[in-house]
Amino acid sequence: MSRFKAAVFDWAGTMIDFGSFAPMGVFVKTFSRFGVEVTVAEARGPMGLPKWDHIRAMLDQKRIAAEWKKVRGAAPTDRDADEIYKVFVPMNEEVVADYATLVPGALDTVKALRAKGLKIGSTTGYTRSIMERVLPVAKAQGYEPECLVCADDMKHGRPTPLNMYRCFIELDVWPASAVIKVDDTEPGITEGVAAGCLTVGVALSGNAVGKTPEELAALSKAGIAPLREHATALLKGAGADHVIDTVADLPALIDRLEKAV
């Protein structure tokens, strides 16, 4: 049996959607509907936040804010974020299932952790309505966590610890230090830090790298190294205790941590 009681995983870029692609095209298309062109790189910046907060953060980016004012005649407001959000959510609902393939090794990791006695929870920056499209696809592949806390389940989500607190209650686990939070984004790591969990960042499958497994496989070790270093720096900067390439590496990390005690 492990000294850890649970692992709480993020979804896109961590357990599914290697490279975190599902929201990117939707952000670009949604802003375009309002006459403002944004890039995928600009859309990736706030990833991990609840989607309304993500949109507001994009509107606060200097270039986008200036372009919005130029096109729309006034600086962007929370009301503008509301309108964008109303368009974004149903568009994301329509495409998200197409990107719900499990990250290679994710299912083996879950099986290994459950064999050690760990419970499996999850939090996400996606809304409940978006996750309703993802859950059956994940279940068909064998992944079904014991709990799910979505961005709109709590009044205050990431980067606060409240989603994690709800996971503790639903999983019936404590103390926080016995829970591992695994995520590919800074806000997702920050929520784990704020809750007092051991935090593990995933670098190569996540938003910061933004590549498919095939694209990574086509790169040399020398080509992958700076991508890993960049993602690791971001995750460590957010407070990650450890950074691994993908969730497939988590069981080995847990074994090392337990032997070190």
Side-chain angles (χ1 to χ4, degrees):
M1 298 296 288
S2 175
R3 69 183 176 95
F4 297 107
K5 295 182 179 180
V8 176
F9 294 95
D10 176 54
W11 285 80
T14 301
M15 293 299 282
I16 62 169
D17 190 8
F18 195 111
S20 194
F21 288 97
M24 296 310 141
V26 180
F27 279 121
V28 172
K29 290 178 182 177
T30 301
F31 271 78
S32 181
R33 286 197 181 185
F34 290 83
V36 176
E37 302 303 319
V38 301
T39 67
V40 169
E42 289 169 329
R44 283 193 180 277
M47 269 298 287
L49 289 173
K51 292 299 173 271
W52 187 94
D53 300 280
H54 186 136
I55 290 165
R56 180 69 255 196
M58 287 181 67
L59 289 171
D60 287 338
Q61 291 180 30
K62 186 175 180 180
R63 192 204 67 80
I64 295 176
E67 185 66 14
W68 186 276
K69 185 175 182 179
K70 177 182 176 181
V71 172
R72 309 286 296 185
T77 65
D78 284 356
R79 183 173 293 181
D80 294 320
D82 291 339
E83 293 304 310
I84 296 170
Y85 183 77
K86 290 177 184 177
V87 174
F88 172 86
V89 170
M91 288 179 65
N92 207 86
E93 290 170 356
E94 290 301 314
V95 303
V96 70
D98 296 333
Y99 295 88
T101 301
L102 289 177
V103 168
L107 192 57
D108 288 339
T109 288
V110 169
K111 291 177 179 177
L113 268 54
R114 283 183 169 146
K116 284 176 169 286
L118 275 72
K119 297 178 181 179
I120 305 298
S122 64
T123 70
T124 181
Y126 281 147
T127 63
R128 179 70 56 173
S129 65
I130 293 172
M131 284 306 299
E132 285 175 353
R133 306 294 184 97
V134 172
L135 290 175
V137 181
K139 184 177 180 179
Q141 297 171 82
Y143 180 51
E144 190 174 15
E146 283 95 300
C147 81
L148 165 65
V149 184
C150 298
D152 53 348
D153 287 344
M154 306 289 286
K155 183 176 180 180
H156 299 291
R158 297 172 178 177
T160 79
L162 297 185
N163 287 356
M164 292 300 299
Y165 292 165
R166 182 161 170 175
C167 280
F168 298 163
I169 293 169
E170 293 191 14
L171 294 173
D172 191 31
V173 293
W174 72 91
S177 58
V179 178
I180 304 169
K181 176 66 203 305
V182 187
D183 209 292
D184 71 299
T185 66
E186 295 152 274
I189 291 295
T190 302
E191 78 171 347
V193 172
C197 299
L198 180 86
T199 53
V200 179
V202 290
L204 293 187
S205 68
N207 176 68
V209 171
K211 292 189 180 296
T212 66
E214 294 76 19
E215 288 171 336
L216 280 177
L219 296 175
S220 65
K221 289 184 178 180
I224 292 174
L227 300 176
R228 180 187 289 113
E229 290 169 6
H230 171 67
T232 297
L234 293 176
L235 294 164
K236 286 281 191 178
D241 296 301
H242 305 277
V243 177
I244 56 181
D245 283 351
T246 77
V247 289
D249 303 311
L250 185 61
L253 171 62
I254 293 174
D255 286 346
R256 290 197 301 273
L257 294 175
E258 290 175 335
K259 289 176 182 177
V261 174

